[in-house]
Amino acid sequence: MSDPQSPERYSYAEAGVSIAAGNALVRAIAPLARATARPGATADLGGFGGFFDPRAAGYTDPLLVAANDGVGTKVKLAIDHDRHDAIGIDLVAMCVNDLIVQGAEPLFFLDYFATGKLDNGVAERVVAGIAEGCKIAGCALIGGETAEMPGMYAPGDYDLAGFCVGAVERGEQLTGDRVCEGDVLLGLASSGVHSNGYSLVRRLAADKGWKLDRPALFDQDRLLIDALIAPTRIYVKSLLPLVRGGKIHALAHITGGGLLENVPRILPEGLRAQIDADAWDQSRLMAFLQGQGNIEPEEMARTFNCGIGMILAVSHDDVHGVVEELERAGETVHRVGTIEAGPRGCVVGGKAGTWSAREDWQAAHNA
């Protein structure tokens, strides 16, 4: 019989943290990580860190480039609608697309998964998506951290962060210093909303009472939730040969801030990007979002990618060859604008009717 006066015995499990569940998750995801192995990394999990050998990856004098990111409130959409399988692709995409714009090949990736109570089924689905994203990008998943924090997150909630390191041979990095007047801007089509603007998307869904588990008004063959949560496109393998061949002067990943605020980040002083919104057809998804929110064209240009996930600045003489190579790699390419002399910044404009505008319009951002 226990002593009623004896102090209560505490344990980590009683506080809500299961070490056994964490160990089981590591065992379950180890094969997923091994499947991402590439020269320079063996992708074994379980140590205190992961090693990578740049020389084994083929580099002689590399500069290392690092990027970290999350997926914003898109993760809440995944949680609320049981769409955990591809959110990891978004996590990888947000990091590796930020590396390729600097000319760097993504080499290795680490993830951070935080939740209140570990649900290994959900966590394994998320990590499987991260591994898939790494395979698409050609980088190794060499480690990560799973944090179980009772009281920090509501039941079922989790958050993600990613960290990626890439390499570029010294002298081949893209800094924007090669951009010059007369360069042509090419846009690579996005796969959807990507991973920015979801606070507005979720606000619209709530205020307008969207039925996300029903076919989209603009695509009867697809549920609205699946159109909204389509994973961010990873552009690394399409762009890397052109970057290494010196055919690209600069790249801009179109994320938060949209076309207006991301393109100026690659421009030297004295140059301005002029983007013609008439140069590509607005996607039905973007038209739906704009119509549902009664969003002005100028606000679209600084909030969403508007159907363009990556912008390239290339020499006029190289445009034809670059477009051909990108199309062979599976990209949809649009000639969207030019680089002109002027105050450093970006102008996006269109005619009446473009992006539902009632008259000719123009939006500008000075860097």
Side-chain angles (χ1 to χ4, degrees):
M1 188 173 179
S2 62
D3 182 355
Q5 300 303 314
S6 64
E8 182 180 356
R9 297 180 185 274
Y10 285 80
S11 70
Y12 212 9
E14 188 216 32
V17 177
S18 173
I19 299 230
N23 291 337
L25 178 62
V26 171
R27 289 193 297 272
I29 65 178
L32 300 173
R34 280 196 293 272
T36 69
R38 53 151 296 153
T42 57
D44 281 335
L45 298 185
F48 289 98
F51 289 96
F52 193 93
D53 182 357
R55 288 189 178 180
Y59 289 89
T60 55
D61 187 18
L63 294 173
L64 296 181
V65 188
N68 72 307
D69 213 334
V71 295
T73 57
K74 187 174 187 176
V75 76
K76 185 60 174 170
L77 204 61
I79 292 165
D80 290 346
H81 297 276
D82 192 30
R83 293 299 195 277
H84 309 289
D85 301 276
I87 198 74
I89 296 176
D90 286 291
L91 184 66
V92 175
M94 295 303 289
C95 293
V96 300
N97 286 341
D98 277 353
L99 291 181
I100 191 64
V101 300
Q102 295 169 93
E105 176 191 12
L107 299 178
F108 60 86
F109 189 91
L110 299 99
D111 67 278
Y112 175 78
F113 179 98
T115 188
K117 182 174 177 56
L118 196 57
D119 180 333
N120 279 358
V122 169
E124 189 173 347
R125 289 166 66 188
V126 172
V127 176
I130 293 171
E132 178 62 22
C134 286
K135 285 192 280 188
I136 295 169
C139 64
L141 176 59
I142 66 168
E145 170 69 6
T146 302
E148 195 173 20
M149 298 186 286
M152 183 71 80
Y153 296 90
D157 278 358
Y158 60 83
D159 199 11
L160 297 171
F163 177 82
C164 195
V165 171
V168 56
E169 291 288 6
R170 192 179 304 273
E172 295 181 5
Q173 64 268 28
L174 295 180
T175 62
D177 60 347
R178 294 174 58 200
V179 178
C180 55
E181 185 178 357
D183 277 0
V184 173
L185 296 175
L186 301 176
L188 303 187
S190 65
S191 55
V193 185
H194 282 188
S195 294
N196 293 98
Y198 278 91
S199 294
L200 178 53
V201 170
R202 291 175 56 248
R203 175 68 180 271
L204 284 172
D207 288 355
K208 302 296 181 180
W210 293 349
K211 305 298 183 185
L212 274 69
D213 58 348
R214 295 182 184 175
L217 294 175
F218 53 87
D219 186 349
Q220 289 295 301
D221 295 326
R222 198 175 194 190
L223 297 181
L224 179 54
I225 181 60
D226 292 329
L228 291 174
I229 210 164
T232 305
R233 187 165 181 82
I234 293 174
Y235 299 100
V236 171
K237 289 186 177 178
S238 300
L239 292 171
L240 195 56
L242 289 165
V243 170
R244 288 175 167 168
K247 298 292 187 180
I248 295 177
H249 289 175
L251 291 166
H253 183 200
I254 308 306
T255 55
L259 293 163
L260 269 183
E261 296 187 13
N262 283 288
V263 176
R265 296 165 67 179
I266 65 172
L267 301 179
E269 289 295 334
L271 293 180
R272 196 165 184 79
Q274 185 76 42
I275 295 177
D276 180 9
D278 299 305
W280 72 98
D281 292 331
Q282 186 182 39
S283 72
R284 290 178 293 174
L285 170 58
M286 290 294 165
F288 170 77
L289 293 173
Q290 183 179 13
Q292 289 283 301
N294 193 28
I295 303 170
E296 293 294 333
E298 296 87 349
E299 183 68 14
M300 290 292 292
R302 64 168 47 89
T303 301
F304 295 113
N305 64 56
C306 299
I308 302 295
M310 186 73 72
I311 293 280
L312 297 69
V314 301
S315 165
H316 184 277
D317 294 339
D318 290 331
V319 168
H320 181 72
V322 167
V323 170
E324 278 195 338
E325 189 165 339
L326 287 168
E327 289 179 341
R328 281 197 301 269
E331 302 294 347
T332 300
V333 190
H334 305 283
R335 185 165 174 166
V336 300
T338 54
I339 299 295
E340 302 174 353
R344 182 170 174 256
C346 180
V347 177
V348 180
K351 295 184 173 61
T354 300
W355 297 4
S356 303
R358 292 177 293 275
E359 56 189 21
D360 291 0
W361 60 276
Q362 193 173 86
H365 174 75
N366 294 322

